[in-house]
Each structure stands twice: as C-alpha cells, then as structure tokens.
Amino acid sequence: MTAGPLPASPGAGAPQPDLGAASTTGTTTGGSPAQSPDPALAAPRAAPPVALYVHVPFCVSLCPYCDFVVYAGALARGPRSQVVPFVEALTAELRLRADALDERWGSARPALRSVYLGGGTPSLLAAAAVGGLLELIARRFGMAAGAEITLEANPGTDDRGDLAGFAAAGVNRVSFGVQSLDPAELRALGRRHKPADVAAALDLARGAGIASINLDLLYDIPGGTLERWAASLDAAIGLGPEHLSLYALTLDDPDAEGLTGPGGDHLPATAGARRWRERARARQDDDRAADQYRLAVERLASAGFRGYEISNWARPGHESRHNLAYWQRLPYEAVGPGAHAFDGTTRRWNGARLDGYLAALLGTPGAPHEPPEPPPGGSETLDARTAAAEAAILALRLDTGLSLAEAEAGSLAPHLAWALEGGFVAEAPGGRVALTTTGRLLSNELFARLV
Amino acid sequence: MTIPQDRLRNFSIIAHIDHGKSTLADRLLEVTHTVEGRQMMSQVLDSMDLEREKGITIKARAVRLEYLAKDGLVYGLNLIDTPGHVDFSYEVSRSLQACEGAILVVDAAQGIEAQTLANVHLALKEGLTIVPVINKIDLPSAQPEVVMEELENILAIPREEVILASAKEGIGIVDILEAVVARIPPPKGDPEAPLKALIFDSHYDAYKGVINYVRLAAGTLHAHDRIRLMASGAESEMLELGVFRPQLVPVQLLVAGEVGYAATGLKNVREAQVGDTLTSAVRPAAEALPGYQEAKSLVFAGLYPLSGEDYPLLRDALEKLHLNDASFTYEPESSVALGFGFRCGFLGLLHMEIVQERLEREFSLDLIASAPSVEYQVQLIHGPVITIDNPSLLPSSGTIEEIREPWVRLSIVTPSTYIGPLMELATNRRGAFEGMDYLDPQRVLLKFELPLAELIVDFYDQLKSRTAGYASMDYEETDYRAANLVKVDIMVNGEPVDALSLICHRDKAQSLGRQLTERLKILIPRQMFEIPIQAAIGSNVIARETVRAMRKNVLAKCYGGDISRKRKLLEKQKEGKQRMKRVGSVEIPQEAFLAILGMGEE
C-alpha cells in the first residue's frame, strides 16, 4: 500500500511494470514523497484518476448468483435493445466526467494507466462501439503508452463478441467469465457456455493478438468437490492464461444490505435468484471452500503464478494494473450504471437504474432537449480514521502487505500483533508483513478488527 | 361535569387473547363518543408498541366513558382494561379490585378458555357482578348455543343474562352499555369522609413526575390538595388531577368511587408505589386501605448489560420500569461469565420476555438474559433451609439433605381429540393427572399437578403445537415438594459458564445435558480455534460437543471498485461481534444463554 500521500503524478507514459514499485512507495525509489510511518497519519489527498472503469450493464441472460448491475433479455439484444442508447449515454457521461476533471485538475493532468470495461458482458458491444469509446477516452482522459485496456467477455459462442475487432480497437487484455470447466457445475450456475467454448474463445483471443488473458473461476459451488475443483483448475492452467481470478461463490443479499433503493447502486434480486441463492447457500461449506482455496494456492504456485491478492494470481508482469489501483487506493474514475469512482478522499457511485441513467444523460424522449446531467447516485467522504483502516485492509489483501513501520504504528499495532501471534500474518521480504494462507482465509477476522 | 356517585360504574373486561376485548373496548369508546371515529386508531387501549405487535394487553389501563343511557341520564363509566395472559393474573386481580363489575367476553366460535375461567373465578371472589357477552356472533363458525351451554355448565351463568354481540360489526354494543348501567352496582364510599385513594397503577412522566392511577374509596380529592402517601409518608402539593379519556384530561375534583389520575409532583418513584393509599395531608384518614399483596415471582433470570459500562443505565432503567410494572423484582448479582447484573423475578416466561424487550426498547439497552429458573428450597444437612433462584448458587451435593421445588395446579382447556398428546406431554414433564371435566361434548378441562420448572421451559409452545393452537392453559402455584434434583454445569472451552447452569431431575440430566450441548454447538459460531462444550454434574462430564475451528471468513468475491460495500460488510461483522459476550476467549451470542428455551421436545 502506498504509505505516503498519493502520488500527484503517476508518471504519464511510464506505467510502472513492477507491482512492487507501485505498491511499496516507502521501500522503492521513483521520486515518491517521504514515507509516513502510520497510514493513519497520511492525510488523504484528492488526485486525478489513473484508472477508468466503464460498466456495461447487459447480459444475454442473468446468472442467479450475480449481483452486479445487469439488464438481460430484450433490453440486451434484439429490436428493443437499449445497447445503442446506452453507448450514447455512456459517451455523454464520459464527456461530463472529463469536463469536471478538466475543471478540477486542468487538461494537462496525468494520462490513464488502465481502462477496464466490465459488466455485465461488455463483449456484447459492437467492436466499433468499443473503438469509439476508447478513442473518446484517449482524447479526453489521456491514455498512457502501454496502458492496460481490459474487456470482460463471456466464452460462449453467442456472447463472446468480436474479439479480433476489440483487439483492433485497442483492447490488450481480456478477462473471460469461465467460472468452471465442469459441464455439470456450469449448468448448476446457470451459465450459457460449455467447457469446450473456453478453449475456442481463448484461441480466438490469442489469434487476435491479446497477450494478457484472465480467467475467472468460482469455488465453493453447490454440489462441488475438491476433486472437481482440482480438475477445473488444472484444465484452466492448461489453457495457458496469464492471470487467474479465483472467487469463492458468495451469495450476498444486496436488498438486505440496503443497496437496492431508488437511488441504490444495486438492483433488487429477482424472486428466482433469491430462491436459488437460498438453496445454494444451504449447499455451501466453509471447510470445502478452505480446502479448495489451499489446493489452488499450492497448484498455482507450482505452475509459476504469483498469488498477489487474496483472489488473484498472475504470471510475473501480468498483475492486473487496473485492479491494483483499487487495492492501492489510487484514484479512479468510473462511468455507467452502478459504477464506483474514487478521487483519493471521496467515493462516488452511480445509481443502478438504467432508465434514470439514460434519462439524465439523454433527456426524456419527446421532451425539449436538455443538456446532459450526471446520472443519479451518491457519494461518501471518508474521515481520516476510516480511510486509514480502509488503506490497511486493502494493502493487506495484497501479498506485499504493509511495511513493518506501518504495521507497528498507531492503532494498527495491537491487531497486527494479534495476527502475528496467531500466524495470520508473517514477515515478508523487504521488511514487510503480509497475510499467510491461513490469514487470507480468515482475513475478515482481522479486517473486522481494523474497520 | 361532575356525575353523582350513584351514576358511576367501574368495570373491567375479562377475555381470552383474540376473543375481541380490545375491539369491544374500541367500540365502547366510539359509541360513547369518547374517541370520535376519525381519531379512532384501532385498539386505542393497547398503546404500547409491544402490545400492538403481540396482540396482547400487558398493562392495565383505564378510560372514562360518559354514556347517555336510555333512562335519559348520563352515567360515568370507568373501564379498567385488564391483561389476558396467564402471567398477568396479578395485574388482573388488581384491576378487578378497582371495579364493581366485569364484562365477560367469550368468542362465539372458540368458547371458554382456561384463563377466562381463572379470571372469572377471580372476579367472583372479589364479589363482582358479571355481564356475560358472547362476541363474534357474525362469524360463520359461531356457535352461540354451545357457548351458552358452556357458560351455564361451568360458570352457572343463566342463558337469559347472556348478550350476543359482534364488536367488529357493532352488534349488541348498546345492550352491553345498558347492562353495565343496569346490572353493575354503583361504587360505595362517603365523599365527606377523610380521603382514601388506592394507587392501582402508575407511570413516570418526565415533566409531571410520578403519575398515580387512583381509585377513590372514600372522600374527595381536589386538583391542588396537599396529599400524603400513607405507606411512604411522603407529602406533596398535587400538580394535576384528571380522568382518562383515554388521554389524560384534567378535572377539578374526584369523589369517592371515581377512577382517575393524580400527578403528585413527587419525583422519586419509591415515594408513591402501587398499592399505597393516597390521603389528604390536612385531614388524613386514620388507616390505609389494605393495598395489594406483592406479586409473587415464579420465574427468575439474570439480566446483564451486554457491555459492562451500561450497568448503571440498566439499574436506572429497572427502577423506572418497576414503577410502571411493580410485578417484577430485581436485585444486584454478579456472574463470573457475565459480570455485574441483576437477578430478576418474573410472573412467568412471557413476562420475562416482555420486561427484557421493554428494557431494550424503551431504554435502548443491549441485554443478555441467563437461563430462567424457579426458586428452590434447599435443606442443608444439619443446617438451615436456604432458598436459591440461581442454579449456579446451589451448594455442593455433599452438603444437601433435600431439595424442594415449587409445584403448580395446571388447567388445560382443549378439544377432546388432543387428550392423548396432552397427557403424554404432561407425563413427560413429571406431571400427575388430577381429573377431567367435559365443558361440552367436544371440549374438556384437564387438570394436572406439575413441577413449575417443567412448565416454564417450552411447555406452552408444546401445548400449542400439539393441539394445532386450540388448547389454552392456566396455572396456580400450590406447594413445594422434594425431588431428586441435580445441578448441570456447562463448560465452554474448559471454563464453567455460570449463567448456563441449570437444575433438573436426575433422570433427565443426561438427555438434557446432551440436548443443551448440541444446541450450544449450533448457537455458538465457529471461532479461530476449536471450542469444546461440556455438560457436567459435579466433576462428571455427561455430554460433550465441539465447535470446530473456523476455516474460512474472507471476502473473496469480485466487488470491483465498490470498496464501500466491502467496508460495510466488514463493519457489519464487527457489529455482530460486538453483540456477543466474551467469556474467556470465546465469543458467545446472546441467544446462547437462552439455549434451554429453544430445544423443543425430546
């Protein structure tokens, strides 16, 4: 974690290739400001974004476990599709956000080091639309040389999209929502693709020149076993991706969390999804999940991957620069329904509802033309204590952890001492402390003490 | 307006839960224009949130109606509402003492229930006139004929006296009011005699101090009299005098026989307690009214603040609440596991639940209740008899000659099809069958004798579940009897948790210990290390379970840039932990201390 104040300039044109440099300001050079011994003392400061997230809220069909902002069915495809007006609205929002940044930081602000098109299924967009968006982004936000540009895609034949077209438009990293390579598990999860589709999709991406590929996999799937997980994982490794995100199937309840109100950043779960989650939850098992996680830690280490974050593994140099920005608490911009942005002090989000989003940015059909307005949403500004706790928690998610000085300073010290004694954190190279595998599996026990 | 004494009527309503008492009371208020239709909020008298939620009346309450009768005269009717649950029969008897009559409401489809019987017997013992009403005659399942037969058979109420009504539809309301006027005698008491007013209830008002609900037995009370409380000796200038309509409405004077409130101006709740007699400081009465017997606590439990620093708040809250509900007792105690708290005595399990909920809601406290217990008499070898209401305080078995436990006489009214299951339930609970009477061809009154300790744990729930909710019960305490009782201690992670100790019959100790450890295993969440849970009699472990160590608690999901959501989920986990009690190194959730209540039937 960046211990000192956020870098005022990420160094346009010089994306940091090395994770260590990006995450350990205190121990590396690079003209960083002097290190503060306690993150709690590091006064949070606003800064222009180094990353941009674009949310594309369309899928061919809804997966019952997913609670990202997604619209499916007729809204996503066919004559009543909202995709075209959505892209138009997205364009309007990008312009508004860029205007605001220009006003706040000037147009000579640092260029973006990463862009992430997530969803949803961004691969449902036409390659031309992606090209148009990226061009606009480059023009208005600036794009650092060698910037990481990720697009999420489904492996299925009907929603993997025009991978060659995306690559031609500038996409250089593709993240496939694989989830499992077991046919029964894929069916159980309500996924549309088959295991064989994954290899085919990968081939297409490689053929298009995509040099960095991520596969998302899920463990603790209802009915799953350690053996089936090992088989899925081995098959995934066998496909040769540069990056793997392994997520425990987590059946949250955005309604209960109070996120789905009229201005909320999530959509209410459908009745069917609700029932599915209830049944699935009863068939989950923390012990199995822990065994599956430990197995992954071992297999991926021997396959040459670095587990650089609790859920993320990469071959050296292929760590997701965009996701690292989240964990390093660097400022990022975000557009699209339900998207979250951060400027170093304030977290801002857009409401989840597509109709409200379109109306604000495109005006109401038939009504007199109005200038586009920012979509409905909300924001929160963190106080210094909350920000410090958040910084420590995010840093501890990474294998680079905290510097000893950070861990021993201020309010963190007793909790880190407890974690050290319990074997949840251990000393890491370079005078740092990081979570052990056990510590990762039980990280909430530590984090809940820190918030 | 002042109504002469011979046109006053003081009455209450006796009814089983759901037989329509509150609806009838609402209707009486409406017909007498005490509360106009447009202000009418359903169930005016049950003003506590808890009462509306649970659909029961917890506190007695009073309201003054003015009724223009068919004889052309205006009568002042004081309706004193009464609770309907068995736990609150103490409260009922207090209300009845302030009345000359009672409306008995029986559901036309359900018939007489066990508690109705008990309360009617209480009313008859007080010499009250009964006005019988069969309510809900509009229901398709109404059987007024059968219910009339029940009233005649069991209570010797002639069918000619019975009024058929539907409070919901407004049928028979005027007949009821006329019967109250015609049948219930006016109160007695000389308005010229020295003042004697019985305090039958009270509450604390932040602005006016202690507000006493009084029934004048003799004399006249003026709004600014100087008054004296005969038991406490406290004196004060009255701040306000008034009647309940149902909100407090000031009046200039109240005369013998009337019911109203007196804002005494006293600030200390102990100076004007329920049961005391209020008199004039200038011309005091020679002797006080008999007052009330103290409510007898049957169920005891420790109440502890979740966080130790809230102890003074809990003490203040108990003191304030006690003014409003004198029927629970409390005294300080300390627990190794739970720290400083109070041992409280309750009328029953529902009462315990309600007191706890009121403390939590009205005083914003987070509480832990220990397992409920009864009061045991322990004969020590070559020593005195001691009483204990906290199982953890039971002396070691070597010093005990004999332990005696309280027994109750239990009445159950049930459809006759459920006799078998109820016999089995009572027998499982060490009950002795005493007899059976048919109320009508389909319904019977069963009588048992039973140890109270067996009754307070889930008995009522079992009764309801075994009879599809049709049976009702009532009980009264009888005597103490010796039994082969043992103390079962619970150890969590090797440490005895005194708040979980319980006393039970030796024959049941094994299975109870097993059930309790199994239940605790479910209730105590997995923690960072393995937690053994043991039940033991003395040093002899009789049951053991293990909560395995937690292996996974991680946010391993893609939340994207939505860091706020992650943080809030963590904050929620933190709050959950803070709501648990740390005993040794183990975090125990509040509900685990009441594990004994949720075990169901063996």
Side-chain angles (χ1 to χ4, degrees):
Chain A
M1 182 58 220
T2 326
L6 291 161
S9 161
Q16 289 156 309
D18 175 55
L19 164 59
S23 65
T24 59
T25 312
T27 54
T28 53
T29 53
S32 300
Q35 172 186 6
S36 161
D38 181 356
L41 300 176
R45 229 170 57 189
V50 297
L52 168 67
Y53 177 75
V54 179
H55 189 76
V56 180
F58 299 103
C59 282
V60 173
S61 60
L62 291 180
C63 297
Y65 55 86
C66 171
D67 59 18
F68 281 110
V69 175
V70 169
Y71 291 86
L75 289 173
R77 288 203 292 197
R80 291 198 290 128
S81 159
Q82 293 287 301
V83 174
V84 170
F86 166 74
V87 172
E88 199 185 321
L90 207 51
T91 306
E93 190 189 2
L94 283 166
R95 288 202 180 97
L96 281 179
R97 301 294 180 202
D99 289 346
L101 290 171
D102 286 349
E103 193 164 314
R104 190 172 178 193
W105 305 106
S107 51
R109 63 182 187 279
L112 298 174
R113 291 155 49 188
S114 67
V115 175
Y116 196 103
L117 288 98
T121 312
S123 55
L124 290 176
L125 296 182
V130 171
L133 289 169
L134 290 176
E135 196 184 317
L136 173 66
I137 291 166
R139 193 166 70 242
R140 294 300 314 271
F141 293 81
M143 198 86 88
E148 173 191 282
I149 301 174
T150 306
L151 177 128
E152 288 186 339
N154 270 341
T157 48
D158 59 350
D159 52 2
R160 66 171 71 123
D162 179 2
L163 290 167
F166 299 143
V171 170
N172 55 23
R173 185 174 182 269
V174 173
S175 173
F176 284 110
V178 174
Q179 319 313 359
S180 170
L181 286 160
D182 180 275
E185 284 185 351
L186 286 173
R187 275 196 303 276
L189 292 170
R191 301 292 297 182
R192 300 170 61 81
H193 63 270
K194 298 187 173 44
D197 293 334
V198 179
L202 236 79
D203 283 347
L204 284 170
R206 293 290 188 215
I210 300 293
S212 202
I213 291 181
N214 170 57
L215 306 181
D216 279 350
L217 291 180
L218 287 172
Y219 58 99
D220 201 13
I221 293 172
T225 62
L226 188 61
E227 293 69 35
R228 216 178 287 174
W229 167 244
S232 254
L233 189 61
D234 287 344
I237 296 169
L239 292 170
E242 283 73 30
H243 192 285
L244 282 161
S245 294
L246 310 184
Y247 297 119
L249 176 65
T250 303
L251 302 164
D252 284 327
D253 186 345
D255 300 286
E257 289 173 50
L259 306 174
T260 59
D265 57 352
H266 284 70
L267 296 169
T270 65
R274 223 162 232 301
R275 283 193 299 274
W276 190 94
R277 287 176 202 187
E278 245 167 63
R279 284 195 305 269
R281 220 175 268 135
R283 298 177 66 211
Q284 290 196 289
D285 177 0
D286 283 352
D287 291 319
R288 173 183 64 196
D291 289 338
Q292 290 173 329
Y293 185 82
R294 285 177 182 281
L295 181 133
V297 168
E298 282 176 25
R299 297 237 168 150
L300 290 171
S302 48
F305 286 85
R306 167 181 173 199
Y308 69 99
E309 194 266 350
I310 287 178
S311 303
N312 289 281
W313 282 260
R315 296 200 179 279
H318 286 276
E319 294 83 7
S320 163
R321 194 178 304 145
H322 184 82
N323 285 331
L324 276 171
Y326 298 150
W327 299 311
Q328 292 167 356
R329 253 176 138 257
L330 298 177
Y332 49 92
E333 187 54 271
V335 292
H340 281 245
F342 178 55
D343 70 359
T345 57
T346 296
R347 298 199 175 279
R348 188 208 81 221
W349 55 88
N350 288 345
R353 310 261 331 212
L354 184 60
D355 48 4
Y357 183 80
L358 296 179
L361 290 156
L362 303 181
T364 321
H369 183 261
E370 305 267 354
E373 282 176 26
S379 69
E380 59 170 354
T381 300
L382 307 179
D383 59 51
R385 202 204 65 79
T386 311
E390 196 186 86
I393 288 168
L394 291 171
L396 282 165
R397 292 190 68 92
L398 296 171
D399 67 344
T400 43
L402 294 167
S403 73
L404 273 174
E406 288 165 338
E408 284 163 7
S411 53
L412 286 183
H415 302 302
L416 265 303
W418 168 84
L420 204 57
E421 194 185 331
F424 307 123
V425 301
E427 295 206 18
R432 308 186 69 79
V433 289
L435 292 176
T436 59
T437 300
T438 302
R440 285 185 165 193
L441 275 166
L442 296 171
S443 49
N444 284 354
E445 294 290 317
L446 172 60
F447 297 166
R449 289 163 181 254
L450 302 181
V451 286
Chain B
M1 123 176 168
T2 308
I3 296 175
Q5 198 185 51
D6 65 349
R7 278 192 266 133
L8 294 176
R9 301 291 182 271
N10 298 318
F11 69 102
S12 63
I13 304 179
I14 295 173
H16 189 72
I17 292 172
D18 287 341
H19 282 200
K21 182 192 60 176
S22 298
T23 314
L24 175 60
D26 288 354
R27 209 58 73 223
L28 294 177
L29 264 60
E30 211 174 54
V31 168
T32 56
H33 308 287
T34 310
V35 176
E36 293 299 338
R38 68 194 144 79
Q39 304 168 354
M40 193 76 201
M41 207 195 339
S42 186
Q43 309 200 342
V44 170
L45 291 186
D46 289 342
S47 61
M48 235 188 284
D49 286 349
L50 264 178
E51 294 183 317
R52 285 175 202 262
E53 276 167 36
K54 292 183 190 271
I56 55 171
T57 304
I58 297 166
K59 287 291 297 175
R61 217 168 295 272
V63 62
R64 164 69 168 264
L65 322 174
E66 284 178 7
Y67 174 59
L68 175 59
K70 288 184 177 162
D71 62 9
L73 299 172
V74 172
Y75 288 80
L77 313 182
N78 288 308
L79 163 57
I80 298 166
D81 194 18
T82 57
H85 187 275
V86 57
D87 278 7
F88 304 108
S89 51
Y90 164 80
E91 193 93 12
V92 174
S93 68
R94 259 179 23 204
S95 315
L96 295 179
Q97 281 180 52
C99 300
E100 282 76 38
I103 300 176
L104 165 64
V105 179
V106 182
D107 185 304
Q110 310 277 328
I112 297 176
E113 303 287 0
Q115 265 162 266
T116 334
L117 277 182
N119 287 344
V120 173
H121 286 306
L122 270 180
L124 291 173
K125 207 168 77 187
E126 295 289 334
L128 268 57
T129 302
I130 304 288
V131 177
V133 172
I134 295 181
N135 190 27
K136 306 197 190 181
I137 56 161
D138 58 307
L139 290 181
S141 54
Q143 294 180 294
E145 282 301 316
V146 175
V147 178
M148 276 195 260
E149 192 185 321
E150 284 187 3
L151 289 170
E152 205 157 26
N153 288 349
I154 299 291
L155 293 169
I157 292 175
R159 54 180 59 214
E160 304 75 58
E161 288 185 10
V162 176
I163 299 167
L164 298 182
S166 164
K168 189 163 145 263
E169 299 297 327
I171 302 166
I173 305 303
V174 171
D175 295 341
I176 294 170
L177 286 166
E178 288 294 321
V180 166
V181 166
R183 297 186 203 170
I184 297 177
K188 298 189 186 73
D190 180 1
E192 306 304 326
L195 174 67
K196 281 186 192 180
L198 181 65
I199 301 177
F200 67 89
D201 205 346
S202 59
H203 78 260
Y204 189 87
D205 182 282
Y207 301 103
K208 296 175 188 166
V210 179
I211 298 194
N212 291 129
Y213 297 11
V214 293
R215 151 85 198 234
L216 274 66
T220 302
L221 178 58
H222 295 88
H224 297 290
D225 279 356
R226 186 162 180 82
I227 50 112
R228 173 185 301 166
L229 281 306
M230 295 188 76
S232 72
E235 288 193 12
S236 158
E237 300 288 338
M238 289 270 295
L239 290 180
E240 191 177 302
L241 183 67
V243 293
F244 309 100
R245 295 193 53 84
Q247 70 281 26
L248 308 187
V249 174
V251 297
Q252 281 310 304
L253 62 96
L254 289 175
V255 299
E258 287 210 88
V259 172
Y261 69 89
T264 54
L266 293 168
K267 290 293 175 200
N268 188 333
V269 304
R270 290 201 195 83
E271 292 177 327
Q273 299 221 34
V274 169
D276 201 349
T277 300
L278 189 151
T279 190
S280 159
V282 184
R283 190 183 158 220
E287 55 187 41
L289 294 164
Y292 299 114
Q293 277 186 332
E294 255 193 50
K296 185 159 173 20
S297 298
L298 294 178
V299 174
F300 298 83
L303 288 183
Y304 291 84
L306 186 61
S307 133
E309 66 242 37
D310 285 348
Y311 177 81
L313 297 178
L314 174 59
R315 189 186 51 218
D316 292 350
L318 283 165
E319 189 169 303
K320 290 226 171 68
L321 188 63
H322 194 258
L323 176 69
N324 190 247
D325 177 2
S327 56
F328 74 88
T329 60
Y330 62 100
E331 54 185 74
E333 75 166 2
S334 67
S335 150
V336 180
L338 301 179
F340 290 101
F342 291 88
R343 194 73 190 168
C344 300
F346 307 98
L347 301 169
L349 215 54
L350 178 68
H351 186 217
M352 167 175 163
E353 192 184 309
I354 283 164
V355 168
Q356 188 182 348
E357 277 195 51
R358 288 188 67 186
L359 287 168
E360 294 190 331
R361 287 192 195 193
E362 295 171 27
F363 301 92
S364 307
L365 290 165
D366 265 333
L367 298 178
I368 292 178
S370 69
S373 166
V374 299
E375 189 168 64
Y376 296 93
Q377 294 176 350
V378 183
Q379 171 71 61
L380 299 172
I381 296 172
H382 310 306
V385 175
I386 57 169
T387 61
I388 64 149
D389 55 34
N390 180 345
S392 68
L393 301 179
L394 188 72
S396 75
S397 57
T399 66
I400 296 174
E401 171 90 40
E402 183 179 85
I403 308 177
R404 293 185 287 273
E405 61 176 338
W407 279 60
V408 295
R409 184 174 297 121
L410 171 70
S411 312
I412 298 176
V413 171
T414 177
S416 50
T417 41
Y418 300 116
I419 293 172
L422 290 178
M423 291 288 226
E424 191 201 354
L425 173 63
T427 314
N428 282 347
R429 301 297 184 101
R430 298 191 281 137
F433 178 63
E434 289 291 302
M436 173 162 76
D437 292 315
Y438 273 85
L439 275 70
D440 64 52
Q442 275 80 46
R443 302 207 315 149
V444 294
L445 171 64
L446 296 173
K447 289 180 181 158
F448 296 96
E449 289 191 326
L450 195 83
L452 177 61
E454 297 281 351
L455 189 77
I456 63 170
V457 175
D458 276 351
F459 187 91
Y460 185 71
D461 291 342
Q462 285 293 321
L463 176 94
K464 286 291 179 191
S465 77
R466 287 175 185 227
T467 62
Y470 279 113
S472 63
M473 64 173 240
D474 192 76
Y475 61 88
E476 54 180 335
E477 214 193 358
T478 53
D479 54 355
Y480 271 76
R481 300 181 194 175
N484 187 3
L485 301 174
V486 292
K487 179 171 68 143
V488 176
D489 290 315
I490 300 292
M491 283 170 296
V492 175
N493 203 25
E495 298 208 30
V497 181
D498 53 0
L500 285 167
S501 293
L502 58 96
I503 291 173
C504 71
H505 197 270
R506 185 176 292 278
D507 294 349
K508 292 185 151 192
Q510 178 80 46
S511 76
L512 200 65
R514 205 163 41 230
Q515 286 180 71
L516 196 54
T517 49
E518 280 168 12
R519 178 104 183 112
L520 286 168
K521 181 189 172 180
I522 294 166
L523 290 172
I524 297 177
R526 293 172 72 169
Q527 296 176 30
M528 308 287 267
F529 45 87
E530 185 172 286
I531 305 164
I533 301 170
Q534 295 158 295
I537 301 174
S539 57
N540 179 25
V541 173
I542 56 171
R544 182 192 161 109
E545 290 285 342
T546 303
V547 178
R548 284 177 302 143
M550 177 196 292
R551 295 196 51 211
K552 168 185 170 268
N553 180 15
V554 55
L555 293 175
K557 166 175 171 166
C558 183
Y559 292 85
D562 187 358
I563 306 299
S564 303
R565 186 178 184 194
K566 275 189 174 173
R567 199 186 62 244
K568 280 168 191 154
L569 287 169
L570 288 168
E571 281 165 357
K572 204 171 281 178
Q573 286 206 10
K574 181 181 189 175
E575 274 166 35
K577 279 187 198 299
Q578 284 170 342
R579 287 190 59 85
M580 289 200 268
K581 191 79 187 178
R582 179 173 278 269
V583 178
S585 50
V586 181
E587 283 162 342
I588 303 182
Q590 289 159 302
E591 59 270 25
F593 292 96
L594 290 173
I596 183 82
L597 297 181
M599 298 196 301
E601 198 63 0
E602 52 273 21

